[in-house]
Amino acid sequence: MNTITTRAPGAPPPDDHRLLPWAPERTGEHTRPPSWEAPPRERRAPPFQPLRFLALPLRLAWRQLRAEKARLASAIAGVMFACVLVFMQLGFRSALFDSATALIQNMRADVFLMHPLTTASFKPETFPRARASQALALPDVQAAVPVYLAQASWRNPENGSKRAVQLIGFDTEAGVMDFPGLAPLVDTLKRADTVAFDARSRPEFGDMTRLLKERGPFEVQIGNRMMEVTGLIEIGPSFGADGNVVLSEVNFRRLIKERQVSAVDLVAIKLKPGADLEATKRRLAELLPRDVVVLSQAELVKWERDYWEQATPIGFIFAFGSLMGLVVGMVIVYQILFSDISGHLREYATLKAMGYTNFFLSRAVLSAALILAVLGFLPGLGLSWLLYNQVGQATFLPLNMTADRATTVFLLIFAMCGLAGLLAMRKLRDADPADMF
Amino acid sequence: MRSIESAPVELRDIGHAYGTGELARPVLRDVNLSVGPGEIVLLTGPSGSGKTTLLTLIGALRAVQQGSATVLGQQLAGAGEKQRVALRRRIGFIFQQHNLLGFLSARQNVAMALEMDGRTSERERLERAGAMLESVGIGDRAESMPANLSGGQRQRVAVARALAGNPGLILADEPTAALDKQSGGEVVRLLRELAKRQGVPILLVTHDPRILDIADRIVAMEDGRITATEAGASAAG
């Protein structure tokens, strides 16, 4: 009687599902009566195939995106825009922090003494010069050099404009602090009123590289004194200082007359080879009064960086900028996906009527979002790389595309598109196959 | 002859209402209908008579509220979304509009009906889709996009798509409404011919008097009830 519903589960399934509609078995030449019963596929779930699970919705999404070139282009442009914005924000953030510490990073010494109230190198608190001599009490300390920091006005030798420049005065002979390019200049800097200029300073100070090549050493007005620029070193501009000038301790005092010799801003210490850095730091901290902190170079860099990150809104500004870029990108992707779904409600409802699940269509929407993430990220990466070079040259900020940052941005963009896809997915509920008739 | 229990569509005392509580508006009352294997049944009636609602209930697109509906052996009263989706895969739908995916070629559109079957390969699906398009007479337009096909051709693609998955039942809602007389007639006759070959029953909602002659049985509805049933022209032959 009821042959269909009672067919044993193990019975061989009828094989006519493979036949084309006009096969003889179907056109009446076959003796078996036509069967409307369910094809066997419904009774035996196919094994789970992860490739099909992802590939088919992905292909559907890609075909749909590809069909509307203008819409695809605007979606890619939106993701690219977000991508470039985030890259630039993160790039600037990191460049600013890097450049904020450019001076410190180029002060190569093992240990530093600093006043605990000093927040950043451009506004130091002074402490007694005697601490440098006291540090020498430890056998592991080879040399301790007091460093004087100050800002003075620099008169551009080309057009006469004035600009504040960072002065770094210390015993250049001691060989404790080794700025790149300093070594060959040690002898000339011993002469009175000589300075070495940071070749990577901002161009507003004058193109010293060219001038030095043309004229040889020449005089520049720093503060109220004419000083001879004898050579170039490399430090790079930072937040606190657009340009740097390195000079001997004596010349520093000639230039900044109000500064007392006994008040120093920093002491750079070189250890003997083989000395234990941590142990020496501990002993220095025990030995010296509380008016100095003992820091390794890495700690000093961190101290400086922390100041810019915490005491200024810079970190927040760039995080906020990145977030805005992501939000704008997300809205664009959401809009594109949403209008794609709205414009194809009938078709999606038809697919549902055909037996496609809401989950399949959700995967298609999410796939579309992730395709956009990849398609937008790649040109965004390229454009950001170009911009890094261009903007880096224009602003003298160290903008570098690192693999770490590219990965971070890709993950952010991927998450952004994924979120947009998840939001747009809700629109799929409106595709109700019952409304199709 | 199969017994009445094994009829592809078996409706008993179906009732349906839109809205809830005092606002409930009944659209179907005490509908009893069965469609036998290979039978072509036309549903006619004025707008609002409930025939489309009946079609969506049979197609498992709507939950059954009242009564019992057995479609292709699946009891729909109390059936969950999962069972209903599974049942839909065994039903071929043809809509008033062709509802083809505009970004897929005719062949790819038909192949979409086969993609849910996890055991076919892409090549098999496309071959099968091409064969289906041949059988509806537009094999030469298989690679065309829907936008480049005429209305009649698009509806033929929709017919091919509905039949591609070897459905146990075809549900059609005014498939000729958007077509002119000639192509509308061609499409339904094609549908009838293919369905008869496969032995698939068809339940077709129509207002179109020109296609009444394809029916084995014509069921008239009014006000949510079946008011008359008559043998169609083709049943005599």
Side-chain angles (χ1 to χ4, degrees):
Chain A
M1 282 293 275
N2 197 341
T3 54
I4 285 69
T5 49
T6 60
R7 188 156 63 86
D15 59 354
D16 64 349
H17 67 278
R18 292 182 183 283
L19 297 176
L20 295 174
W22 52 92
E25 286 85 343
R26 295 183 170 281
T27 51
E29 293 167 37
H30 199 261
T31 50
R32 206 156 54 85
S35 161
W36 53 262
E37 65 193 88
R41 63 170 182 264
E42 312 301 342
R43 314 223 165 160
R44 193 182 54 198
F48 179 70
Q49 292 158 296
L51 198 67
R52 289 177 54 87
F53 181 79
L54 296 174
L56 288 180
L58 186 74
R59 189 179 66 175
L60 186 69
W62 167 238
R63 284 173 171 173
Q64 177 164 2
L65 286 174
R66 190 185 55 181
E68 292 197 51
K69 300 277 192 294
R71 194 180 273 184
L72 177 63
S74 63
I76 289 177
V79 176
M80 196 174 82
F81 165 79
C83 195
V84 169
L85 204 56
V86 174
F87 261 122
M88 294 319 285
Q89 298 287 336
L90 291 183
F92 281 137
R93 179 175 183 273
S94 146
L96 287 176
F97 287 141
D98 280 354
S99 77
T101 56
L103 176 60
I104 306 289
Q105 267 169 345
N106 282 304
M107 288 184 178
R108 290 182 218 146
D110 298 324
V111 178
F112 290 91
L113 304 183
M114 188 175 74
H115 194 281
L117 292 181
T118 297
T119 49
S121 60
F122 76 98
K123 42 181 178 185
E125 288 284 325
T126 57
F127 58 91
R129 186 184 168 104
R131 302 289 172 259
S133 317
Q134 286 171 309
L136 287 170
L138 289 184
D140 279 344
V141 173
Q142 186 176 0
V145 175
V147 181
Y148 299 88
L149 300 171
Q151 299 221 343
S153 67
W154 166 284
R155 188 178 278 277
N156 184 330
E158 288 177 306
N159 59 21
S161 66
K162 277 185 161 183
R163 209 173 171 87
V165 72
Q166 177 76 44
L167 304 181
I168 306 133
F170 61 97
D171 181 0
T172 47
E173 277 179 283
V176 173
M177 289 224 289
D178 174 32
F179 289 109
L182 183 63
L185 299 175
V186 167
D187 279 337
T188 56
L189 287 180
K190 278 191 244 174
R191 299 206 315 262
D193 294 337
T194 53
V195 299
F197 184 74
D198 174 11
R200 291 175 56 203
S201 301
R202 289 189 53 88
E204 286 82 352
F205 293 98
D207 188 350
M208 299 301 290
T209 311
R210 182 176 57 80
L211 290 178
L212 270 178
K213 203 177 275 174
E214 283 171 10
R215 307 185 195 171
F218 64 100
E219 287 200 320
V220 175
Q221 184 187 338
I222 305 178
N224 295 323
R225 204 175 177 89
M226 295 305 287
M227 305 290 279
E228 186 190 0
V229 178
T230 57
L232 296 170
I233 49 156
E234 287 197 14
I235 296 174
S238 52
F239 273 10
D242 292 337
N244 299 290
V245 164
V246 168
L247 66 177
S248 73
E249 202 184 309
V250 179
N251 284 330
F252 181 90
R253 282 204 295 272
R254 287 168 186 260
L255 196 53
I256 311 291
K257 294 203 166 60
E258 63 275 18
R259 172 63 72 94
Q260 291 180 324
V261 186
S262 62
V264 302
D265 299 303
L266 212 55
V267 168
I269 293 174
K270 188 175 189 177
L271 300 184
K272 287 194 174 131
D276 182 346
L277 179 71
E278 286 305 314
T280 315
K281 267 176 55 195
R282 262 199 312 278
R283 295 192 60 195
L284 276 171
E286 287 162 15
L287 178 76
L288 297 172
R290 295 273 152 240
D291 61 356
V292 290
V293 284
V294 184
L295 303 168
S296 67
Q297 192 189 12
E299 286 166 339
L300 186 68
V301 169
K302 188 174 178 307
W303 186 291
E304 182 96 356
R305 194 183 170 100
D306 282 352
Y307 167 78
W308 292 108
E309 269 185 48
Q310 289 161 15
T312 68
I314 293 165
F316 173 77
I317 287 167
F318 290 110
F320 188 76
S322 306
L323 189 69
M324 284 298 107
L326 289 172
V327 167
V328 170
M330 193 180 82
V331 168
I332 293 174
V333 173
Y334 172 75
Q335 283 287 349
I336 297 283
L337 295 175
F338 185 89
S339 57
D340 247 357
I341 298 172
S342 310
H344 292 98
L345 271 188
R346 295 190 70 82
E347 286 82 356
Y348 279 127
T350 305
L351 288 178
K352 280 190 185 174
M354 283 160 61
Y356 280 93
T357 56
N358 203 50
F359 184 46
F360 178 93
L361 298 178
S362 301
R363 274 178 283 155
V365 171
L366 204 56
S367 302
L370 301 182
I371 289 172
L372 291 179
V374 173
L375 290 186
F377 175 77
L378 292 176
L381 179 70
L383 188 59
S384 304
W385 185 76
L386 280 177
L387 279 171
Y388 272 15
N389 287 342
Q390 294 297 316
V391 176
Q393 277 169 21
T395 59
F396 296 88
L397 283 169
L399 283 169
N400 294 312
M401 182 65 74
T402 62
D404 263 7
R405 189 177 304 147
T407 312
T408 306
V409 174
F410 180 70
L411 291 178
L412 283 173
I413 294 291
F414 205 71
M416 170 193 94
C417 288
L419 194 60
L422 288 174
L423 286 174
M425 238 181 237
R426 296 182 310 166
K427 182 68 181 165
L428 279 177
R429 282 194 224 128
D430 292 352
D432 183 358
D435 298 335
M436 290 302 299
F437 289 111
Chain B
M1 201 58 202
R2 280 162 191 272
S3 69
I4 196 75
E5 283 96 333
S6 68
V9 178
E10 183 67 46
L11 306 180
R12 280 188 204 282
D13 304 325
I14 287 289
H16 200 87
Y18 291 127
T20 49
E22 292 191 0
L23 293 173
R25 190 167 50 83
V27 286
L28 290 176
R29 300 168 228 246
D30 307 324
V31 172
N32 289 285
L33 176 69
S34 74
V35 178
E39 197 181 9
I40 297 181
V41 176
L42 258 62
L43 270 176
T44 61
S47 312
S49 58
K51 50 193 193 314
T52 294
T53 305
L54 192 61
L55 209 59
T56 58
L57 286 175
I58 297 169
L61 303 177
R62 239 180 248 288
V64 171
Q65 291 175 345
Q66 196 188 330
S68 131
T70 314
V71 176
L72 303 182
Q74 166 76 50
Q75 174 57 255
L76 283 173
E81 174 73 13
K82 204 170 177 177
Q83 288 157 304
R84 289 197 281 139
V85 169
L87 177 60
R88 282 181 214 157
R89 297 185 180 182
R90 293 158 53 196
I91 297 176
F93 291 92
I94 299 169
F95 304 95
Q96 209 165 349
Q97 309 289 324
H98 53 83
N99 290 346
L100 299 174
L101 294 169
F103 52 88
L104 297 182
S105 70
R107 185 200 290 269
Q108 288 167 337
N109 261 295
V110 176
M112 282 298 287
L114 302 164
E115 275 186 14
M116 287 165 292
D117 178 0
R119 295 167 313 149
T120 53
S121 71
E122 176 72 9
R123 202 170 56 82
E124 280 169 356
R125 287 196 294 268
L126 288 177
E127 265 173 22
R128 172 103 202 240
M132 285 309 305
L133 287 170
E134 289 284 352
S135 71
V136 296
I138 49 169
D140 53 330
R141 306 302 306 272
E143 308 309 327
S144 304
M145 301 307 271
N148 301 326
L149 297 173
S150 71
Q153 287 172 327
R154 284 179 215 164
Q155 201 57 301
R156 281 165 189 248
V157 177
V159 168
R161 178 172 66 175
L163 286 163
N166 267 333
L169 171 67
I170 300 226
L171 298 177
D173 184 39
E174 309 205 17
T176 58
L179 302 178
D180 59 53
K181 182 182 175 199
Q182 198 200 341
S183 49
E186 280 172 9
V187 164
V188 285
R189 258 165 268 286
L190 187 68
L191 178 62
R192 178 175 187 281
E193 189 188 333
L194 293 174
K196 283 287 177 195
R197 266 195 229 161
Q198 292 191 19
V200 186
I202 300 178
L203 191 58
L204 194 151
V205 166
T206 189
H207 283 304
D208 191 346
R210 299 171 306 210
I211 62 170
L212 294 180
D213 59 323
I214 69 158
D216 294 328
R217 188 149 54 103
I218 298 170
V219 174
M221 286 188 74
E222 195 160 350
D223 238 2
R225 292 175 211 272
I226 291 177
T227 52
T229 302
E230 54 179 293
S234 75

